[in-house]
Amino acid sequence: SVDEQSMAPLVIQTCVFQLVQRVRACVSALRGTRALYDYVRQQAKISHPLIKVGLIGDLEIRWNTTFIMIDRFITYRFIIIKANTQPFRIPDTTSVQQAKIGARKFKFDNEDWSHLKDLQSVLKPFFVATKIISARDYPTLAAAYAGELAMYQ
């Protein structure tokens, strides 16, 4: 029906917003407790392939930082899953901290990860184009054109 078709974009927007909010909350929880943050960093150092970048939060008004947050969150996927499903194995954490990181809202299923990958794919061309035209020097028309081409590729 027409009503369902007009509501579909709103439903998708709401789902994406809620997923990004959960990612923000998870990153905040992992970075907000020293023991959790140390655990995540230690796991990154022994992962294969080695993870050289850290988890970061984003600035909600700067979508490029949202891309970086999601990109890195995906990189840390297996560490995040391990922390969520086995919080009792994280050293030097209290039962309250373990309950927090093991909470249902921080459990990302395969569908969530798939949506995050889709969002990453959608945002990446804009991230690349913005990087091209946001150089330290004033952007030139050639750089703007290169940025536009990058978005279409």
Side-chain angles (χ1 to χ4, degrees):
S1 77
V2 174
D3 288 340
E4 288 176 0
Q5 288 177 342
S6 64
M7 289 298 292
L10 182 60
V11 170
I12 292 169
Q13 181 181 4
T14 301
C15 290
V16 169
F17 176 77
Q18 290 172 345
L19 181 58
V20 171
Q21 289 294 94
R22 287 177 50 222
V23 169
R24 283 185 185 122
C26 186
V27 168
S28 179
L30 290 170
R31 289 180 51 91
T33 303
R34 182 70 179 187
L36 293 173
Y37 189 59
D38 288 346
Y39 171 79
V40 168
R41 286 187 5 204
Q42 183 265 337
Q43 291 295 306
K45 288 179 183 175
I46 62 170
S47 70
H48 295 285
L50 181 68
I51 300 173
K52 296 181 180 180
V53 294
L55 277 176
I56 62 163
D58 69 335
L59 302 171
E60 292 184 37
I61 60 169
R62 307 260 331 221
W63 62 264
N64 265 5
T65 62
T66 302
F67 168 78
I68 295 168
M69 176 186 69
I70 290 168
D71 188 60
R72 291 185 183 185
F73 194 78
I74 291 168
T75 301
Y76 277 82
R77 176 181 181 167
F78 297 106
I79 296 170
I80 291 164
I81 290 170
K82 187 176 177 183
N84 176 258
T85 58
Q86 301 173 2
F88 55 88
R89 292 190 177 203
I90 301 172
D92 304 318
T93 54
T94 66
S95 58
V96 171
Q97 292 166 333
Q98 291 170 3
K100 183 177 182 179
I101 201 60
R104 177 127 179 90
K105 75 175 182 177
F106 296 143
K107 184 178 190 315
F108 295 86
D109 60 23
N110 287 336
E111 186 175 350
D112 292 329
W113 291 108
S114 178
H115 290 318
L116 286 170
K117 291 288 286 175
D118 291 343
L119 187 56
Q120 178 190 39
S121 296
V122 167
L123 292 177
K124 187 172 186 172
F126 295 101
F127 175 78
V128 170
T130 301
K131 293 294 269 183
I132 290 170
I133 63 173
S134 297
R136 293 203 185 272
D137 299 325
Y138 290 101
T140 64
L141 187 55
Y145 181 70
E148 183 179 1
L149 283 177
M151 287 176 44
Y152 289 110
Q153 293 177 347

